[in-house]
Amino acid sequence: MSVAGTWDLTISTPIGRIKAVAEFRDEDGTLTGAAHGAGEEVPLADVALEGGRLSWRQAITKPMRLNLAFTMTVDGETMTGTSKAGRLPSSKVTGARRAVPVAAEG
């Protein structure tokens, strides 16, 4: 299973729903990526895919400075799971992979 691509995420937090985008790349068998949201782009750390379980860590500064740990279950073009920030309660996360645009024939 590959998770490479762009994923639209919705994180249900105590301060409301936050929309974010996660981009995953497979670089010679190693998963890397970046997340975009709230006006910042941050690298993903410790990206790991074991079976259908995807996990990663990231540090954000907006809307507040937090270190987040994501644990997701990937099912085809969707993912569900949680994001945990320190001692704060886990936040529910859902995601959907963006469709790859079909190249126009010329």
Side-chain angles (χ1 to χ4, degrees):
M1 166 190 320
S2 173
V3 295
T6 303
W7 294 78
D8 292 308
L9 304 178
T10 301
I11 307 165
S12 299
T13 74
I15 61 170
R17 289 180 185 236
I18 296 174
K19 299 284 187 182
V21 175
E23 296 177 352
F24 296 97
R25 294 176 295 284
D26 187 338
E27 298 177 350
D28 297 322
T30 301
L31 278 173
T32 63
H36 314 267
E40 69 180 337
E41 178 178 337
V42 298
L44 304 182
D46 301 328
V47 182
L49 179 64
E50 297 175 16
R53 184 175 178 267
L54 175 66
S55 61
W56 73 89
R57 293 181 310 108
Q58 67 187 71
I60 62 170
T61 61
K62 298 177 184 178
M64 64 183 67
R65 187 175 301 276
L66 294 170
N67 293 316
L68 304 173
F70 286 79
T71 303
M72 306 294 291
T73 300
V74 180
D75 184 11
E77 303 301 303
T78 62
M79 65 171 75
T80 57
T82 60
S83 172
K84 182 88 169 110
R87 296 181 190 171
L88 297 175
S90 294
S91 296
K92 182 180 175 186
V93 182
T94 59
R97 188 189 325 239
R98 287 188 188 170
V100 176
V102 177
E105 294 184 26

